[in-house]
């Protein structure tokens, strides 16, 4: 893939996605000694960056394939985005979702008319379920990450950031399947901007895979960042990330809650745990990043509110008056 695919996606997405704002906080800038720009994809339609990739993939399908319906496995946000993309094209969407997915995410998918198929993420293989449904119904599979049009659409996040802030030294991006990181890295390629992925220590499949130089499966992770709980990176994004990412930062679970608290306190932004992971990487590894302004992707805000309040209360109590940072590991 080349960065030109991201440029084409920009054109396809005009008038469909929101050009989300870049937020700043003088207090955070002063603490870190650098300008920090937070890309607020929690304000995107469907509440996350996922609409960019899902719509770009759906619009690129041949009309006959699209008419048969679209299908995906998702922890929630990709399914929500695909449901909207399908609705805009007046076709049926089916989403295979974990039985323990947040209620808010499942409800949002159903509200757009998509069919829901639940599975047990510890006992069943979701990809097998997806392929059975595709064979039965003839639906077109739209992966959450492992698709060039999904990656290109996700890359428009980075393209927008670089259009608005020309002096960025680095961009931090959460890593699950790796599509967002790969897309942003493509958008930034050749522009002198270093892109770092960030993932939970408990779900460090990309960290381990990049260190090994090949895909490394890990046991089913348990992390508060449910959208990043992958057992191994998606193939296409991994190949791009292996070539273009400058490193992967891993953060402990506690750091994710603290980042959510920071985002609320200083930016008045509600981030789901997966959406706050890149900011956690900034707080806990800022001294290992290149000098200069940093962009951080807040990738989503589809929170289960009771769980969000609990996490925020715990994190605010723990971090009140505490400026110490927990060390994080970085692969360079």
């Amino acid at each position: 893939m080349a960065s030109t695919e991201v440029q084409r996606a920009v054109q396809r997405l005009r008038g469909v996605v929101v050009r989300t704002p870049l937020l700043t906080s003088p207090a955070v800038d002063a603490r870190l000694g650098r300008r920090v720009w937070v890309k607020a994809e929690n304000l995107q339609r469907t509440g996350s960056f996922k609409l960019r990739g899902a719509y770009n993939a759906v619009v690129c399908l041949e009309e006959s394939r699209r008419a048969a319906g679209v299908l995906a496995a998702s922890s929630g946000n990709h399914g929500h985005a695909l449901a909207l993309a399908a609705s805009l094209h007046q076709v049926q969407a089916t989403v295979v979702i974990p039985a323990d997915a947040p209620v808010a995410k499942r409800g949002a998918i159903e509200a757009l008319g998509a069919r829901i198929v639940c599975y047990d993420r510890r006992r069943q293989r979701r990809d097998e379920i997806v392929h059975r449904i595709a064979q039965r119904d003839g639906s077109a599979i739209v992966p959450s990450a492992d698709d060039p049009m999904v990656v290109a659409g996700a890359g428009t996040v980075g393209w927008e950031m670089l259009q608005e802030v020309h002096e960025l030294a680095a961009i931090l991006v959460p890593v699950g399947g790796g599509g967002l990181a790969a897309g942003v890295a493509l958008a930034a390629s050749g522009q002198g901007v270093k892109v770092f992925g960030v993932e939970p220590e408990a779900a460090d499949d990309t960290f381990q895979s990049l260190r090994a130089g090949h895909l490394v499966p890990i046991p089913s992770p348990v992390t508060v960042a449910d959208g990043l709980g992958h057992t191994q990176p998606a193939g296409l994004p991994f190949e791009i990330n292996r070539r273009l990412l400058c490193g992967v930062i891993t953060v402990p679970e506690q750091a994710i809650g603290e980042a959510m608290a920071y985002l609320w306190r200083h930016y008045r932004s509600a981030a789901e745990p997966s959406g706050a992971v890149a900011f956690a990487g900034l707080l806990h590894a800022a001294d290992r990043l290149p000098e200069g302004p940093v962009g951080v992707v807040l990738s989503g805000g589809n929170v289960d509110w009771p769980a969000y309040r609990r996490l925020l209360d715990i994190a605010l109590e723990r971090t009140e008056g505490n400026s110490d940072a927990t060390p994080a590991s970085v692969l360079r």
Side-chain angles (χ1 to χ4, degrees):
M1 281 189 68
S3 59
T4 52
E5 288 295 343
V6 177
Q7 298 284 342
R8 294 188 184 101
V10 169
Q11 299 304 317
R12 296 186 193 108
L13 294 175
R14 284 195 198 283
V16 177
V17 302
V18 175
R19 185 158 180 160
T20 53
L22 285 168
L23 309 178
T24 60
S25 164
V28 173
D29 293 354
R31 177 193 160 176
L32 297 179
R34 65 170 85 208
R35 293 301 303 275
V36 175
W37 303 86
V38 175
K39 181 65 165 168
E41 283 293 292
N42 57 322
L43 301 179
Q44 186 56 257
R45 294 177 73 178
T46 73
S48 85
F49 77 96
K50 289 288 191 178
L51 180 62
R52 297 172 182 268
Y55 187 91
N56 193 47
V58 170
V59 78
C60 288
L61 289 171
E62 292 182 6
E63 188 173 350
S64 59
R65 289 204 68 208
R66 191 167 59 228
V70 291
L71 166 68
S74 171
S75 61
N77 283 343
H78 177 62
H80 189 184
L82 185 66
L84 178 56
S87 175
L88 292 172
H89 286 90
Q90 299 183 318
V91 299
Q92 179 66 54
T94 302
V95 181
V96 178
I97 191 169
D100 60 353
V103 173
K105 293 183 179 181
R106 176 171 175 168
I109 294 168
E110 290 177 319
L112 286 166
R115 290 194 296 251
I116 296 281
V117 175
C118 291
Y119 75 98
D120 183 334
R121 70 167 89 212
R122 290 176 178 79
R123 296 183 181 181
Q124 295 176 287
R125 296 180 180 273
R126 71 176 194 175
D127 290 342
E128 291 179 0
I129 297 171
V130 167
H131 285 287
R132 282 201 303 270
I133 295 172
Q135 289 176 349
R136 183 191 69 199
D137 299 341
S139 305
I141 299 172
V142 180
S144 61
D146 203 6
D147 180 278
M149 295 302 99
V150 171
V151 170
T156 62
V157 171
W159 183 89
E160 290 180 6
M161 296 175 78
L162 294 167
Q163 289 291 304
E164 294 186 40
V165 185
H166 301 292
E167 69 271 19
L168 285 177
I171 300 176
L172 300 185
V173 189
V175 180
L180 177 59
V184 171
L186 281 170
S189 61
Q191 300 198 43
V193 180
K194 295 187 175 181
V195 179
F196 294 84
V198 187
E199 63 185 352
E201 287 179 354
D204 65 344
D205 52 306
T206 296
F207 180 94
Q208 290 195 39
S209 295
L210 290 179
R211 183 171 56 186
H214 57 82
L215 294 177
V216 174
I218 63 172
S220 184
V222 178
T223 174
V224 68
D226 63 287
L228 308 183
H230 292 251
T231 57
Q232 71 176 32
L236 173 63
F238 176 71
E239 291 305 319
I240 297 169
N241 288 330
R242 183 164 63 171
R243 178 166 53 95
L244 297 178
L245 274 192
C246 292
V248 173
I249 300 165
T250 63
V251 293
E253 293 295 293
Q254 174 179 314
I256 299 170
E258 291 172 1
M260 292 169 66
Y262 245 84
L263 287 162
W264 174 250
R265 180 189 291 140
H266 296 291
Y267 300 91
R268 285 297 180 260
S269 284
E272 62 187 282
S274 300
V277 161
F279 197 84
L282 172 69
L283 291 178
H284 297 288
D287 59 340
R288 307 185 196 186
L289 298 174
E291 292 184 3
V294 175
V296 181
V297 179
L298 192 179
S299 59
N302 290 316
V303 290
D304 181 86
W305 281 104
Y308 177 75
R309 287 196 298 269
R310 287 196 301 273
L311 283 168
L312 207 63
D313 286 344
I314 293 168
L316 287 170
E317 184 176 325
R318 185 168 53 234
T319 59
E320 192 67 42
N322 177 16
S323 61
D324 294 334
T326 303
S329 31
V330 181
L331 173 65
R332 295 195 181 277

